[in-house]
Amino acid sequence: MKTITEQRPEQLDELLQVARETLTKAQNYLSKDGRIYELHDWVTVAEYCRRFNIPNTQTVSNWIKRGVIAAEDTVVIEEYNNIRLIRAIPYQDKKVAHSS
């Protein structure tokens, strides 16, 4: 009796490749309440500060409270200790921008 690998190695290789691709995709997104968040598009407040050279996380938290960062551009993940993710795009505090 032949094993699967002896009978059809090319089919097994294809199946393994599909499984690897699926796992790679799964590592790059988070799903919450039926919505998918791609992790290169959504970052923590601390990572946002690093990416966009914001001096402290309190600045970003204030932007969220004041609506500089729109509600649809934030999500709180309760399952991960209430971590907040924000869309990784540049925001500008108009109040600060006009006073320069």
Side-chain angles (χ1 to χ4, degrees), residues 6-7 11 20 25 28 31-32 34 40 43 58 69-70 77 79-81 86 92 96 99:
E6 293 171 329
Q7 291 176 357
Q11 288 179 338
R20 284 187 203 104
K25 288 178 186 176
N28 293 324
S31 176
K32 179 175 174 18
H40 63 275
V43 296
Q58 190 60 45
I69 298 176
I77 310 295
E79 297 84 357
Y80 293 116
N81 201 26
I86 59 175
Q92 186 172 4
V96 173
S99 64

Side-chain angles (χ1 to χ4, degrees), residues 24-80:
T24 299
K25 288 178 186 176
Q27 291 172 349
N28 293 324
Y29 76 87
L30 174 70
S31 176
K32 179 175 174 18
D33 299 328
R35 186 167 174 200
I36 293 176
Y37 298 92
E38 298 212 18
L39 295 179
H40 63 275
D41 293 335
W42 292 83
V43 296
T44 64
V45 172
E47 176 59 23
Y48 185 87
C49 289
R50 279 190 289 279
R51 282 193 191 184
F52 295 100
N53 297 316
I54 308 296
N56 60 61
T57 59
Q58 190 60 45
T59 299
V60 176
S61 294
N62 287 338
W63 287 356
I64 293 168
K65 288 177 190 167
R66 292 185 14 240
V68 172
I69 298 176
E72 61 267 12
D73 288 343
T74 68
V75 64
V76 175
I77 310 295
E78 294 86 4
E79 297 84 357
Y80 293 116

